[in-house]
Amino acid sequence: MAKKGYLVSAYRSINNPDKLAAYAKLAGPAFAKYGARYVARGDAAAAYEAGIKQRIVIVEFESVAKAIEAHDSPEYGAALKAFDGCAERDLRIVEGLE
């Protein structure tokens, strides 16, 4: 059985909340098509080291391959087009431990 994949997005700054909302309306359904489950979404409760108390999103997929497939999909591509530089963020995909 494959280990789960997690897409982790840590926002550094948000410069256009309206564009971010438009992006979110497209990103959720785009990821849902690939079996996504949102594990965390919102402002950080605490931040340490180089972290900042800004928005963080963690999305669980059945595997790393499925997370990459979702990210590289045409549906998510449309969401990224709506994103249009509205925020600075660090987006990564990581394999779960189990």
Side-chain angles (χ1 to χ4, degrees):
M1 182 172 166
K3 293 180 181 177
K4 293 187 182 212
Y6 293 87
L7 183 143
V8 180
S9 183
Y11 287 70
R12 309 287 317 156
S13 64
I14 298 169
N15 58 47
N16 190 322
D18 293 335
K19 281 187 179 182
L20 183 60
Y23 157 81
K25 285 183 183 178
L26 296 172
F31 284 163
K33 181 177 177 182
Y34 295 87
R37 182 174 79 88
Y38 283 79
V39 177
R41 179 173 46 203
D43 290 342
Y48 302 98
E49 314 234 355
I52 58 172
K53 287 182 75 171
Q54 188 59 274
R55 183 171 180 77
I56 185 131
V57 179
I58 302 172
V59 187
E60 180 183 79
F61 292 88
E62 68 183 40
S63 66
V64 166
K66 190 59 84 172
I68 292 170
E69 182 182 3
H71 179 273
D72 295 348
S73 71
E75 297 87 358
Y76 188 65
L80 287 175
K81 190 170 189 174
F83 187 84
D84 189 33
C86 70
E88 180 186 351
R89 64 182 180 172
D90 176 356
L91 193 147
R92 300 169 188 220
I93 294 173
V94 63
E95 184 176 66
L97 299 175
E98 298 179 7

